[in-house]
Amino acid sequence: MKKILTGLLVLGMVFVFAIAIAAQGQLTGAGATFPYPIYSKWFDVYSKMKNVQINYQSVGSGAGIRQVTAGTVDFGASDGPMTDEQIATFEKGRGTAIYHFPTVLGAVVPTYNIPGVNASLKFTQKAIADIYLGKITKWNDGEISKANPGVNLPGDDIVVVHRSDGSGTTYIFTDFLSKVSEEWKSKVGKNTSVNWPVGLGGKGNEGVSGLVQQTPDAIGYVELIYALQTKQPFGDVQNSSGAFVRASLETTTAAAAAAAKDMPADFRVSITNPSGKTAYPICSFTWLLIPGKIADAGKRETLKGFLRWMLAEGQKDTEALYYAPLPKQVVEQELKAISKIQ
Amino acid sequence: MSGWAGSGHGRYRKVVSYLMLGGTALCALLVVGVLFFILGSLVWKGGSDINLNFFTKLPTPVGVTGGGMANAIVGSMKLLLLASLIGVPFGVVGGIYMAEFGGKVSAFVLQYTADLLNGVPSIVIGIFAYSLIVLRMKHFSAIAGGFALGIMMIPVTLRSTEQFLRSVPVAMREAAMALGASKWKTIVSVVVPAAYRGILTAILLSLARVAGETAPLLFTAFNNRFWSPGWNQPIASLPVVVYTYGISAYEDWHRQAWAAGLVLLGMVLLTNIIARAILSRGISAPR
Amino acid sequence: MTTAATAEMGAGPKPASRSFFARLLQGDQVAHAITFVAAATILLITTMLVVVLWNNSALPRAKFGLSFFIGRVWDPVSGQFGALPFVYGTLVTTAVSLVLGVPLGLGAAIFLAELAPPKISDSLTFVIELLAAVPSVIYGLLGIFLVVPFVRTTLAPALKHTLGFLPLFQGPCYGVSFLAAGLVLAIMIVPFIVSVSREVLLAVPTDQREAALSLGSTRWESTWKVVVPFALPGVLGSVFLAMARALGETMAVTMVVGNVPDIKASLLAPGYSIAAVIANEFTEATGDLYLQALIELGLVLFLVTFILNGLARLLILVTSQRGGTT
């Protein structure tokens, strides 16, 4: 009996250690959840193509920044650009610069669940801000109904839903709100996590969309991909030119094009509420964070090769997964910036 | 407690007895009902994704079929092995100390500490293991993950071992002593075997609990799309996969998440069965 | 202790002087030392944990001091952090889960230990213990899709209708609430209570039951008045385990509690808990003060657990038990 036990144990350990294939050095990356689907596809394809292993995990933008600063991963990813303090911390701790490389574009949409209303609602900038500030409490409020003539809005109380977990999506959304509402800017501000004046918190895009789907009279904000995948109704948002724009791959790219002309050298830019008649106002880039100096030559070449591939071939995969590709000017600027990595 | 069964008061007590015992049956039914419901949901939502690929292939990106979770399955096994190597010895041997050697004060302090540790959110344990191991080693690893899970196993194993050892009647110990056995021999050959069923239950229960934990692994074992050789690399695990896929937007990833949950349960079930079968000799508690 | 002396006495005549090695080989000293080291490890780990938490929460401790405990605002943007809503939520959800889970678990354990035929009892328990392995994310997902709508559409209106005069059951209900979290937690802690209580109940010697029955008690009376009290320390131990799990549960709670840092009397209102907010915000926390405030929350939970355990033990002491062993 004891023999069986020890036999099993030995067998088990042999089996487990048999998986000790000598793997080439694995590259690890951590960060943003929003682009996880496209990143997993890219890294998978590239890994097979070049016989390397790039292991990316979506633990959150903030965690990604912290891990790459601590040096526990080779690169990071974030839905919001690093702040000046974070960059300073990185440079102090790791002795080198950190570079941002935009990869794809995403949009955030307002999704809702109003019994009896099937039409696509139009939201003015003031409407969204005031709903989330708690100043507009009923669906048939003037600010909403005047933008939606002909829609029979009920007089029910609005159930506001936001993200409970810190996220790049919240960052993008609150960045937009801070630009269109002075009151929001001073009272709440923008961050991956804020002190929401009203509303329930859902965990993850899934949590928010789940809550909205299940709760009558609810409104929430989710990534465009989620709304499209879950086929939830979502509204058009008014942009800075006054037009009501529906989020889509085209209108997202339009938002980026407007900003691309003034793209700073370090690619840290906010593209919410841009100019441009067809631009969707709640969009953002998402970035890969690559350290300026990478000691391991193999890892360095793999990363640089990946970036080049991503900017060319990789961009072709984005639309199938509902991400908007980068505008041409940005791609060209980035290709030049790759040489900064040493 | 006097009264004849036939008298009025006796009948009332009998009725109460039937009612209360019926109530306990209802409780058991409810608990089992919930369990079968959860199992049923897992099978219903994830069952279709369980095929040979699931157990042998690596994950594929969203939309690409034919992928599996072989690395997460092996990963969970490795992590649980590590966790047991930490949790079981310290827990069981420590429990022996508390029940057999310790005095009232040390028993109290240790019990209290165990309960404290048990109540720490799993994510805080993860943070602890991260500061201790991951930051020092500058990378994520299976060791860090196993360590975090092992710490979580210790309090449950400790308390339960102590509990079951104490419940062994004093008479048994005294009988052994009277036959000339030393204290240690008494413990090893009489007390522990008498309590082994409870101790085994405790170990399997705490193993089951850490098998399903996600938060402590996020910053220790991290996760891995590929195979993780040895013990010093980031490693995939079923609960983390359930979490990552479960909160995504894609239907096929959702199904994979449910399937992973089902497989995890299956693994724990199998471990339970094997453990009890192999170790099912010895005295069971008197009924 | 007397047992050692008894062993000496019962062992028969011994050589007058026993060398150190002879005693060592007998094993007791070594055993004592080894087991002590194992037990002491838990003290070591817990102390190290507290030290790490303490060191990594220096910034908010310096900034807020004791007002952290009573602060009601949690604002990462302006750097204002207060723990009170989370402490409240943790206590409420844990209380609800215990009120619901302990009677259910104990009832099931009694049934399985006393009434069910051994084979059924064994297989059912086996299966119930599996519940402990279900990842908390799955509990969370089932919570979102089943418990929350149930609470919103069925349970809350029913409670408001019957018990609505109590402030506990007033106000609007969106489904996500203290109640929903308490329900999900109750299901999560039941396996621990059932499993451990059943084993302890089974360990009660048959002669105790027989003695009660022979004095004319009904089956229930012998169970409730004799067996359970005999097994009470073990049962309470299982309740401690269950309470600890409920206090620290993160994923499942955050998916159904509503994640609103508000202090409301009604169980139907959405709330928050310490573990949930740490799980939600830790990975994305930008800035050191924010991160360390979350870690300080972990420390606060530690304190809460400390106090709760102390109160519970006091309760046990006050309602002292007969029989069994402590």
Side-chain angles (χ1 to χ4, degrees), chain C residues 81-319:
Chain C
F81 299 106
L84 197 61
F86 308 106
V87 174
Y88 177 77
T90 303
L91 291 173
V92 169
T93 50
T94 305
V96 172
S97 75
L98 287 175
V99 164
L100 293 173
V102 172
L104 188 65
L106 191 56
I110 291 176
F111 176 77
L112 289 170
E114 303 291 313
L115 295 177
K119 277 229 158 85
I120 296 190
S121 175
D122 282 343
S123 25
L124 279 183
T125 313
F126 199 57
V127 165
I128 289 175
E129 285 168 4
L130 272 189
L131 267 180
V134 175
S136 39
V137 181
I138 302 247
Y139 276 110
L141 289 174
L142 288 173
I144 294 182
F145 292 119
L146 294 166
V147 177
V148 168
F150 172 68
V151 169
R152 189 183 70 242
T153 54
T154 316
L155 194 56
L159 284 170
K160 280 212 252 190
H161 193 72
T162 52
L163 298 168
F165 55 90
L166 292 169
L168 276 180
F169 300 112
Q170 288 173 358
C173 183
Y174 308 105
V176 286
S177 55
F178 290 116
L179 186 60
L183 272 170
V184 173
L185 280 175
I187 300 175
M188 294 177 83
I189 65 175
V190 154
F192 295 93
I193 298 180
V194 170
S195 175
V196 177
S197 297
R198 174 179 164 269
E199 282 295 338
V200 182
L201 286 168
L202 284 175
V204 172
T206 335
D207 44 328
Q208 297 282 337
R209 295 184 186 78
E210 287 172 355
L213 288 170
S214 71
L215 285 171
S217 71
T218 60
R219 197 71 197 278
W220 171 251
E221 280 165 353
S222 94
T223 307
W224 189 244
K225 296 197 174 147
V226 176
V227 179
V228 170
F230 200 88
L232 201 59
V235 170
L236 285 173
S238 78
V239 174
F240 276 122
L241 281 179
M243 179 169 82
R245 174 109 209 240
L247 284 170
E249 179 51 47
T250 48
M251 295 298 181
V253 170
T254 183
M255 288 164 122
V256 301
V257 79
N259 301 319
V260 178
D262 256 351
I263 301 181
K264 289 258 161 65
S266 169
L267 291 179
L268 303 176
Y272 223 152
S273 80
I274 295 179
V277 72
I278 296 179
N280 271 322
E281 302 191 1
F282 188 75
T283 58
E284 291 275 357
T286 48
D288 280 339
L289 179 66
Y290 189 3
L291 190 68
Q292 296 201 359
L294 287 166
I295 296 183
E296 192 180 352
L297 268 183
L299 211 55
V300 169
L301 183 60
F302 213 80
L303 194 66
V304 167
T305 315
F306 195 85
I307 296 174
L308 278 180
N309 270 307
L311 286 174
R313 281 184 181 273
L314 224 67
L315 189 70
I316 295 177
L317 226 69
V318 165
T319 62

Side-chain angles (χ1 to χ4, degrees), chain A residues 59-63 66 86 159 162 164-168 187-195 199-203 206 211 214-216, chain C residues 73-77 141 144-145 148-149 152 174 176 251 254-255 258-261 270 272 279-287 290-291:
Chain A
V59 287
S61 304
R66 247 178 294 120
Q86 287 170 329
V159 179
H162 54 75
S164 63
D165 49 325
S167 93
K187 215 171 134 186
V188 187
K190 71 171 194 246
N191 202 342
T192 52
S193 209
V194 299
N195 188 16
L200 309 171
K203 184 163 173 53
E206 180 76 1
L211 263 179
Q214 305 219 345
T215 316
Chain C
V73 173
W74 186 265
D75 189 344
V77 175
L141 289 174
I144 294 182
F145 292 119
V148 168
R152 189 183 70 242
Y174 308 105
V176 286
M251 295 298 181
T254 183
M255 288 164 122
N259 301 319
V260 178
Y272 223 152
N280 271 322
E281 302 191 1
F282 188 75
T283 58
E284 291 275 357
T286 48
Y290 189 3
L291 190 68

Side-chain angles (χ1 to χ4, degrees), chain A residues 27 35-37 43 53 61 89 96-98 116 118 135 137 145 176 200 207 212 248 251 276 278 285 289 292 304 335:
Chain A
L27 268 163
Y36 185 55
F43 291 129
Q53 282 190 359
S61 304
T89 314
T96 172
I98 180 122
N118 289 325
K135 289 165 71 176
T137 53
S145 53
F176 167 74
L200 309 171
V212 170
S248 70
T251 55
T278 55
F285 286 108
L289 307 168
K304 288 169 84 161
L335 282 167

Side-chain angles (χ1 to χ4, degrees), chain B residues 53-263:
Chain B
N53 276 344
F54 195 83
F55 291 96
T56 53
K57 295 263 169 64
L58 290 176
T60 52
V62 60
V64 179
T65 52
M69 297 213 189
N71 59 343
I73 295 174
V74 172
S76 271
M77 288 200 278
K78 286 169 81 165
L79 285 169
L80 290 175
L81 185 67
L82 273 176
S84 316
L85 287 174
I86 298 175
V88 173
F90 284 107
V92 172
V93 176
I96 293 178
Y97 174 80
M98 284 165 74
E100 305 296 320
F101 293 105
K104 268 202 159 191
V105 172
S106 63
F108 178 79
V109 168
L110 289 167
Q111 281 174 2
Y112 212 87
T113 312
D115 288 334
L116 271 184
L117 195 60
N118 217 12
V120 175
S122 48
I123 192 163
V124 175
I125 305 262
I127 299 171
F128 175 60
Y130 171 77
S131 326
L132 225 57
I133 301 183
V134 176
L135 276 183
R136 299 273 160 80
M137 288 170 70
K138 288 256 176 235
H139 61 255
F140 299 103
S141 63
I143 297 177
F147 177 72
L149 293 182
I151 296 180
M152 292 180 71
M153 276 185 79
I154 296 181
V156 180
T157 338
L158 191 78
R159 284 288 260 128
S160 307
T161 304
E162 184 213 359
Q163 210 62 261
F164 289 114
L165 286 175
R166 282 193 196 281
S167 68
V168 173
V170 181
M172 282 179 95
R173 296 166 210 268
E174 288 178 347
M177 299 277 200
L179 288 171
S182 70
K183 183 150 187 174
W184 179 238
K185 235 187 148 63
T186 314
I187 297 173
V188 170
S189 42
V190 174
V191 182
V192 170
Y196 99 93
R197 236 181 71 152
I199 297 179
L200 186 63
T201 303
I203 294 175
L204 290 171
L205 202 64
S206 73
L207 195 67
R209 188 229 164 131
V210 299
E213 288 285 349
T214 320
L217 294 176
L218 289 174
F219 290 105
T220 49
F222 200 48
N223 197 359
N224 204 331
R225 304 278 296 173
F226 309 95
W227 289 111
S228 172
W231 307 89
N232 213 11
Q233 301 251 5
I235 190 167
S237 59
L238 287 169
V240 174
V241 165
V242 171
Y243 173 67
T244 320
Y245 282 21
I247 59 170
S248 70
Y250 302 98
E251 252 322 296
D252 60 329
W253 272 9
H254 288 170
R255 278 200 319 273
Q256 297 219 310
W258 289 104
L262 192 59
V263 169

